[in-house]
């Protein structure tokens, strides 16, 4: 599936001098922390995917633990800071299907939750 990046600006140079990869973006997104749980959005399983074009424009498919979560602005601000200098521009597509569930949490995320006293399988 190709994501349309026509609404993002086209630039001739890469901000990092090379091509930004999805792996680079996901690693940077580990600096974005869910304000309620204190665990990064990648290990919580809130990042469903990332698409990076040849100009380092990035579209993130993300969800929240609840569609009623009021923290989208906080997460967008943290994402902007985490991706600054790595990507040319980004957009978050909020996705609600499939719904988030504990099965989306990574092993590292489970360890972090256990360390905070959560009982998670």
């Amino acid at each position: 599936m190709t994501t349309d990046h026509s609404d993002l600006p086209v630039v001739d140079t890469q901000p990092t001098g090379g091509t930004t990869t999805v792996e680079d973006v996901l690693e940077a997104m580990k600096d974005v922390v869910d304000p309620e749980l204190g665990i990064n959005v990648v290990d919580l399983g809130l990042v469903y995917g990332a698409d990076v074009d040849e100009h380092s424009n990035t579209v993130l498919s993300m969800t929240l633990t609840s569609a009623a979560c009021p923290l989208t602005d906080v997460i967008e601000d943290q994402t902007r800071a985490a991706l600054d200098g790595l990507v040319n521009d980004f957009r978050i597509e909020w996705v609600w299907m499939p719904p988030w569930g504990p099965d989306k949490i990574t092993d590292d995320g489970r360890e972090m939750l256990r360390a905070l006293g959560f009982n998670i399988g």
Side-chain angles (χ1 to χ4, degrees):
M1 177 175 117
T2 303
T3 304
D4 178 20
H5 295 285
S6 61
D7 61 325
L8 297 175
V10 175
V11 295
D12 293 329
T13 60
Q14 298 292 327
T16 59
T19 302
T20 301
T21 66
V22 169
E23 291 77 18
D24 296 333
V25 169
L26 293 178
E27 187 62 33
M29 288 299 292
K30 289 185 177 181
D31 289 339
V32 178
V33 175
D34 179 283
E36 294 179 322
L37 294 173
I39 296 179
N40 74 72
V41 295
V42 174
D43 286 322
L44 275 178
L46 300 178
V47 179
Y48 283 3
D51 186 47
V52 182
D53 72 12
E54 67 274 9
H55 302 289
S56 293
N57 293 315
T58 302
V59 177
L60 294 162
S61 297
M62 292 184 65
T63 195
L64 297 169
T65 54
S66 162
C69 179
L71 300 172
T72 55
D73 290 344
V74 173
I75 294 199
E76 286 177 359
D77 289 345
Q78 286 187 39
T79 298
R80 185 171 293 104
L83 298 180
D84 185 44
L86 181 65
V87 303
N88 177 50
D89 204 356
F90 78 94
R91 181 177 71 238
I92 297 175
E93 289 183 350
W94 296 106
V95 179
W96 307 112
M97 294 304 284
W100 179 86
D103 59 305
K104 309 258 189 282
I105 303 171
T106 67
D107 289 340
D108 287 344
R110 290 175 189 283
E111 276 186 43
M112 289 180 240
L113 284 169
R114 282 188 204 104
L116 292 172
F118 287 92
N119 183 12
I120 187 154

